[in-house]
Amino acid sequence: MLSDEQASQMLSRLISYCKDYSLKVSDDSLRVCIQHLDLVLEANKTTNLTRILNVDDAAVLHILDSLVLLPYIDKAPEGALLDMGTGAGFPGIPLTIASGRKATYIDSVGKKVDAVNSFVKKLGLKHAHAVHNRLEEYARSHKKQFAVVTARALAPLPVLLEYASPFLKDGGLFVITKGNPSDEELQSGLAAAKICGFTTLMTDDLGLPNGLGHREFIILKKTRQASVSLPRANGMAKKNPLA
């Protein structure tokens, strides 16, 4: 558990980071984000949720690394958020706290989903829940139900685009964050985007503080129906990518 002093110092740093990155996040929201991280670090003692155990690094690599997506989330139409491959609830939970959107967090690992649902309950996030399912399976019963979908370093771009496409309602946004994607991955991603009904809105990048990494953002808009029937059979996206 974080001490009161540690939590106070982390809040001060996060307030400073938010100013540096022009993020409009209230102090109260940052406090709840810190509570979430505290719950993650505590649960990590019995369930493998994160390899980042240094609290200063975790503030950047979990909380700030999630919140830097907020300006793109705010560009999406009104409606629910889906965080694909949520793990310990990043970036989904901090984005839910800061944006106030209804949210679903999905992961294929049951223990992680159980942990995230316990976090949601303890944090009092009444319009959020985690789901244990394969993305292809969940998409079959939740087509066009989300205004914005997020993914952080989950899979190659063509695979991510295929996963996200059926979830998004018309005009919805897909917000992807990557470390250093190769030119080859970006090119295949652009080809898959056309097949999956996306138009690229923008790309952006930034460096995290304290030399903790580089991030590239790809924001796409669902502008038309995919030219293939999605979702395909389980596992096909990875086994036989569209591009």
Side-chain angles (χ1 to χ4, degrees), residues 18 78 102 105 110 182 190 213 220 228:
C18 285
E78 286 188 15
K102 182 179 178 181
Y105 321 118
S182 67
L190 289 173
L220 306 104
V228 296

Side-chain angles (χ1 to χ4, degrees), residues 142-212:
H142 291 78
K143 289 187 176 182
K144 296 189 175 185
Q145 291 196 11
F146 296 93
V148 59
V149 173
T150 55
R152 187 171 78 157
L154 176 65
L157 283 173
V159 179
L160 292 178
L161 289 156
E162 180 173 343
Y163 285 157
S165 179
F167 288 116
L168 281 163
K169 65 183 185 181
D170 296 341
L173 297 190
F174 186 22
V175 179
I176 306 168
T177 176
K178 285 266 185 178
N180 289 287
S182 67
D183 289 342
E184 182 182 357
E185 182 182 359
L186 291 171
Q187 288 303 313
S188 61
L190 289 173
K194 293 178 182 178
I195 298 169
C196 295
F198 286 104
T199 299
T200 304
L201 276 189
M202 64 181 296
T203 58
D204 207 350
D205 69 291
L206 59 77
L208 292 171
N210 308 324
L212 286 173

Side-chain angles (χ1 to χ4, degrees), residues 2 5 19 46 51 53 69 79 82 106 112 133 136 142 155 163-164 182 195 214 216 227 229 232 235 239:
L2 294 173
E5 184 179 358
K19 288 179 180 176
T46 55
R51 289 173 290 179
L53 303 179
L69 300 181
L82 175 69
I106 186 167
K112 291 181 179 180
N133 208 339
E136 303 99 324
H142 291 78
Y163 285 157
S182 67
I195 298 169
H214 173 81
E216 295 193 23
S227 59
S229 180
R232 291 192 288 165
K239 194 180 298 180

Side-chain angles (χ1 to χ4, degrees), residues 4-145:
D4 289 345
E5 184 179 358
Q6 282 178 312
S8 178
Q9 290 174 351
M10 188 178 292
L11 177 62
S12 296
R13 282 195 298 275
L14 287 169
I15 290 171
S16 178
Y17 292 148
C18 285
K19 288 179 180 176
D20 292 342
Y21 290 84
S22 300
L23 303 174
K24 296 178 180 178
V25 185
S26 71
D27 292 4
D28 285 344
S29 290
L30 290 175
R31 288 187 183 94
V32 182
C33 288
I34 291 169
Q35 290 174 12
H36 171 218
L37 177 59
D38 198 14
L39 291 170
V40 170
L41 294 175
E42 186 65 25
N44 198 62
K45 294 174 182 176
T46 55
T47 303
N48 183 22
L49 296 173
T50 179
R51 289 173 290 179
I52 304 162
L53 303 179
N54 178 286
V55 293
D56 293 337
D57 290 351
V60 172
L61 292 170
H62 283 325
I63 299 177
L64 181 64
D65 200 20
S66 299
L67 293 176
V68 289
L69 300 181
L70 188 60
Y72 314 112
I73 301 300
D74 287 343
K75 293 180 186 296
E78 286 188 15
L81 176 149
L82 175 69
D83 185 27
M84 302 194 310
T86 196
F90 301 110
I93 288 180
L95 291 173
T96 303
I97 294 164
S99 72
R101 286 180 186 262
K102 182 179 178 181
T104 299
Y105 321 118
I106 186 167
D107 204 280
S108 61
V109 181
K111 286 184 178 181
K112 291 181 179 180
V113 169
D114 291 343
V116 170
N117 274 323
S118 75
F119 304 155
V120 165
K121 185 175 181 180
K122 290 172 183 175
L123 296 170
L125 303 178
K126 295 180 181 178
H127 302 294
H129 69 287
V131 172
H132 178 213
N133 208 339
R134 292 183 66 113
L135 288 160
E136 303 99 324
E137 289 286 348
Y138 197 64
R140 291 187 180 96
S141 56
H142 291 78
K143 289 187 176 182
K144 296 189 175 185
Q145 291 196 11

